Amino acid sequence: MSDSAPEAGSEPTSAPRRDFIRELVADDVANGHFGRGPATRFPPEPNGFLHMGHAKSICLNFGIAREFGGTCNLRFDDTNPATEDVRYVEAIQRDVQWLGFQWDNLFFASDYFEKLYDIAESLVLKGKAYVDSQNEEAIRAGRGTVTTAGTPGPYRDRTVEENLDLLRRMRAGEFADGTHVLRAKIDLAHANMIMRDPLLIRIRHAHHYRRGNDWCIYPLYDFAHGLSDAIEGITRSLCTLEFKDSREIYDWLVKEAGFEQPPTQIEFARLELDYTILSKRKLLRLVNEGHVTGWDDPRMPTIAGLRRRGVRPEAIREFCETIGVARKDARVEIAAFEHAVRNDLNSDVPRVLCVLNPLKVVLTNYPEDVVEDLDAPSFPHDVPKTGSRRMPFSRELYVDRDDFMEDPPKKFYRLAPGKEVRLRFGYLITCNDVVKNDAGEVIELRCTYDPATRSGQAPDGRKVQGTIHWVSAAQALSCEVRVYDRLFSQPDPDAVPEGQDFIAALNPQSLVVIADAKIEPSVANDPIGSRYQFERTGYFMSEVESSTPEKLVFNRIVGLRDSWAKEVKRG
RNA sequence: UGCCCCUUAGCUCAAUUGGCAGAGCGUCUGACUCUGACUCAGAAGGUUCUAGGUUCGAUUCCUAGAGGGGCAACCA
């Protein structure tokens, strides 16, 4: 490399942001630290569906493998027979692939049980582990507290022979659950609670979704995780901050097990999102208690829920990139996610007109039996895509109730008595009369159109401030629109008064179903699952699970930015 | 009365390793516009948690303190 000015075109391809983890991996590659290429893994327990927090981890682990020419495994950390299920294994694989990633190897920690057992025996042989036969309470008491040291129990100094015999009989299934555990022999007074003779293996006579009933001694996380990484030749084991204290036992175990150049654990902050909960345990509660329709409810922050809602994997990946990776707890604004979703859809999906809350408009000076076809481009001028559709126009139309006010405030650009607006892709119309029912509710607007303004422009040069969306009443399709909003009504759903929990923070308006919205007929033959921007409203997708040829059902993916709503809110 | 981690703009993160504190999102203003969208331009927003110390120079190194978080599951 010379010091001379870079030549045109030699500009480095705008390097992606380097977080502290990527810096380390880049250093590994440059210096050949592990004697092998970068190897990561994504290690979910198959006890629930993947959510945005997992997406962050997936983008990190698979992204690093991709960027540095390394490998990334999908490993199921299935060491707890009580909570796991094939159903989750299948859902997780589908979600990872949908996000756009493919694993180099598919592994299961439950395939390592024999290897882990062999390591357990070797630890016993070295006097580094022992079988403890105290009950659960005694073990807990013997561990001490964060401020007081623990004390050795009565079985801590069993002979190697006795430990080996008991361990083998544990494996043979001779003992009941809870009668014995294998513990590492480290230090009951260790400053790090994790290191106070951590439990390695416990007895569970239970059905495991993959092992059936053939195995009854299950390794615990601390024992299984690091050794599984080491068995797979992982170089950097990425996990979240709460495992910080586990790193010490991780290092202890891979060293005692004799791995050369073992993996190193690196911790990063787990994702927290405004107005959202990202905890499998709590999400499971929402499912089980029926607050949502399932793991794939479009309001859920799960990958399956977001997919069903209409969010695309590109948006999730872009979001994960913008939030970065750091070593401190972080709560990300939901606005950042919504921005990524809009940004992804804006340049790609066609525009369409849909009236969510129909209000009839009769054009009193338009002939009764005429239907015109108006040409409507499907993309705005700044989206480099072509295409258009025909929109029928007639005497009776629908516009959105939000676009009319009988007594509007200043700066209301839409329809009001005596005011003129432009119909998108169509004529200028002026509101003359307001028809009300007995209850005093507005049920119809009587307007006149200016026949000279079919182009949307007035020949005399007069300007209108507002352009509103509309559909022709006779040709419009009736459809159902599900307007989804945040699942929780406060930024931190756990910040509820004493005695309540996050359930109390649920947003009662998180789903508003509009049974009879009116959409332009051009969408009739589009495949179900198509995404659109409903102009001036938001992004929507017809839902495969609910739509029928007779009646389309649309999910709102995300609303458009709405500076008028902000103006109104400000008063 | 323990151990460990964290603290830079409203939010998320940078700062080439001790050298003029920046970016994206958000907010506000303006331009453009047949979407109050998009796009573009601009602005506001900082005692870098506090107090000392080292240094010509500290966001960066040291000490103490404050605030936040994690660890005492036979869960992961």
Side-chain angles (χ1 to χ4, degrees):
Chain A
M1 277 294 175
S2 77
D3 285 338
S4 61
E7 296 165 28
S10 73
E11 198 76 16
T13 55
S14 66
R17 188 156 71 189
R18 276 289 175 80
D19 49 73
F20 73 101
I21 295 177
R22 276 175 242 255
E23 293 288 354
L24 265 174
V25 174
D27 189 56
D28 292 344
V29 173
N31 298 301
H33 280 160
F34 290 89
R36 55 188 190 269
T40 57
R41 100 273 90 114
F42 173 63
E45 184 189 12
N47 65 346
F49 277 54
L50 262 24
H51 54 62
M52 285 295 292
H54 297 107
K56 177 178 179 180
S57 175
I58 289 166
C59 289
L60 222 207
N61 280 292
F62 284 93
I64 284 174
R66 192 174 282 177
E67 289 156 35
F68 293 94
T71 60
C72 182
N73 297 339
L74 174 60
R75 179 177 76 240
F76 288 97
D77 261 3
D78 52 355
T79 56
N80 182 0
T83 54
E84 297 155 4
D85 197 284
V86 266
R87 166 174 173 247
Y88 298 126
V89 171
E90 288 159 3
I92 288 168
Q93 292 187 55
R94 187 191 62 216
D95 289 350
V96 170
Q97 288 177 319
W98 180 79
L99 272 176
F101 298 103
Q102 183 57 53
W103 45 88
D104 292 280
N105 299 104
L106 176 64
F107 289 135
F108 295 83
S110 55
D111 288 339
Y112 302 148
F113 286 170
E114 283 81 0
K115 282 184 184 137
L116 294 172
Y117 175 82
D118 290 343
I119 291 170
E121 277 206 0
S122 74
L123 291 174
V124 165
L125 255 9
K126 286 166 52 176
K128 299 282 190 178
Y130 64 99
V131 173
D132 195 341
S133 307
Q134 299 182 95
N135 64 28
E136 204 171 331
E137 297 88 295
I139 288 175
R140 187 175 325 149
R143 192 152 32 218
T145 71
V146 290
T147 54
T148 60
T151 49
Y155 305 101
R156 194 168 193 269
D157 292 316
R158 288 217 252 231
T159 63
V160 168
E161 293 69 31
E162 192 180 359
N163 283 321
L164 204 54
D165 175 60
L166 286 167
L167 180 59
R168 286 175 176 164
R169 290 165 62 195
M170 281 169 66
R171 177 181 183 176
E174 291 185 25
F175 304 123
D177 291 4
T179 51
H180 307 279
V181 292
L182 184 74
R183 300 180 73 176
K185 192 170 183 177
I186 303 177
D187 179 3
L188 266 320
H190 203 286
N192 180 354
M193 293 295 297
I194 301 266
M195 297 297 277
R196 320 249 263 224
D197 286 12
L199 273 60
L200 270 21
I201 291 177
R202 83 286 204 176
I203 301 171
R204 279 285 176 281
H205 292 277
H207 181 85
H208 185 277
Y209 77 97
R210 283 188 85 242
R211 299 292 305 239
N213 298 316
D214 87 316
W215 195 259
C216 67
I217 53 171
Y218 287 89
L220 280 125
Y221 170 84
D222 281 321
F223 184 52
H225 193 84
L227 293 173
S228 297
D229 287 341
I231 289 167
E232 293 177 16
I234 301 305
T235 54
R236 298 290 185 173
S237 174
L238 279 24
C239 66
T240 44
L241 248 25
E242 70 270 24
F243 294 105
K244 187 95 190 169
D245 291 338
S246 287
R247 189 159 85 209
E248 208 167 354
I249 186 63
Y250 187 112
D251 292 341
W252 187 91
L253 279 165
V254 293
K255 180 166 172 286
E256 293 297 340
F259 284 96
E260 305 284 341
Q261 293 181 305
T264 305
Q265 175 177 306
I266 309 172
E267 309 85 13
F268 63 93
R270 74 177 328 137
L271 173 65
E272 291 184 81
L273 252 187
D274 265 2
Y275 299 97
T276 307
I277 251 164
L278 295 179
S279 146
K280 266 197 272 185
R281 206 189 83 250
K282 289 175 183 167
L283 294 175
L284 180 62
R285 246 191 90 190
L286 294 177
V287 173
N288 286 343
E289 295 178 9
H291 297 108
V292 295
T293 58
W295 284 103
D296 67 344
D297 186 301
R299 292 166 294 182
M300 290 281 271
T302 51
I303 306 302
L306 295 168
R307 174 173 55 229
R308 181 165 171 185
R309 178 132 161 194
V311 172
R312 303 200 299 188
E314 290 84 351
I316 297 175
R317 280 190 256 122
E318 186 195 321
F319 172 70
C320 289
E321 201 168 304
T322 64
I323 57 173
V325 179
R327 249 171 307 214
K328 77 178 164 198
D329 297 314
R331 179 171 288 270
V332 180
E333 291 176 336
I334 195 78
F337 179 63
E338 292 171 349
H339 174 267
V341 175
R342 289 188 200 107
N343 199 37
D344 170 50
L345 263 14
N346 176 50
S347 57
D348 214 45
V349 303
R351 271 60 172 173
V352 127
L353 265 35
C354 178
V355 173
L356 261 31
N357 298 297
L359 172 61
K360 180 165 280 189
V361 168
V362 177
L363 301 177
T364 52
N365 61 339
Y366 196 92
E368 301 236 3
D369 45 8
V370 170
V371 179
E372 282 182 84
D373 257 340
L374 267 23
D375 188 58
S378 297
F379 297 94
H381 61 91
D382 57 349
V383 170
K385 289 195 161 225
T386 55
S388 66
R389 76 283 184 188
R390 313 292 291 181
M391 289 198 60
F393 184 87
S394 64
R395 179 181 164 92
E396 295 199 354
L397 313 170
Y398 291 114
V399 300
D400 235 304
R401 299 197 92 95
D402 289 349
D403 287 334
F404 173 78
M405 279 186 94
E406 196 169 9
D407 186 20
K410 271 199 282 286
K411 295 206 284 189
F412 184 79
Y413 301 157
R414 289 113 100 140
L415 253 194
K419 285 193 68 177
E420 183 173 47
V421 297
R422 174 165 39 236
L423 296 176
R424 180 75 164 149
F425 309 122
Y427 296 93
L428 303 180
I429 65 168
T430 302
C431 177
N432 305 308
D433 282 304
V434 178
V435 183
K436 297 180 180 178
N437 63 13
D438 294 342
E441 297 159 346
V442 177
I443 54 166
E444 187 180 303
L445 267 20
R446 301 188 74 78
C447 305
T448 50
Y449 85 114
D450 180 346
T453 59
R454 175 167 169 157
S455 67
Q457 308 294 339
D460 63 7
R462 71 181 188 279
K463 301 284 186 203
V464 292
Q465 278 273 34
T467 300
I468 65 174
H469 57 284
W470 56 278
V471 291
S472 177
Q475 290 81 16
L477 270 28
S478 181
C479 62
E480 177 176 321
V481 176
R482 299 174 182 168
V483 180
Y484 293 105
D485 200 354
R486 297 161 182 177
L487 228 201
F488 294 94
S489 51
Q490 51 185 254
D492 180 359
D494 286 315
V496 292
E498 192 67 27
Q500 298 182 349
D501 62 16
F502 67 99
I503 299 295
L506 280 165
N507 174 14
Q509 303 293 312
S510 62
L511 169 58
V512 174
V513 177
I514 297 170
D516 195 12
K518 303 290 186 186
I519 190 165
E520 62 170 77
S522 73
V523 303
N525 295 317
D526 291 344
I528 293 175
S530 293
R531 277 171 267 248
Y532 307 92
Q533 185 196 94
F534 291 179
E535 289 206 33
R536 305 208 311 129
T537 304
Y539 293 96
F540 294 78
M541 182 178 76
S542 55
E543 197 189 80
V544 177
E545 289 84 345
S546 310
S547 292
T548 64
E550 295 73 41
K551 185 153 190 168
L552 292 170
V553 174
F554 291 95
N555 287 338
R556 186 173 80 172
I557 305 168
V558 66
L560 257 28
R561 281 183 79 215
D562 188 351
S563 51
W564 172 245
K566 281 173 198 153
E567 181 81 25
V568 170
K569 207 170 172 182
R570 249 183 300 169

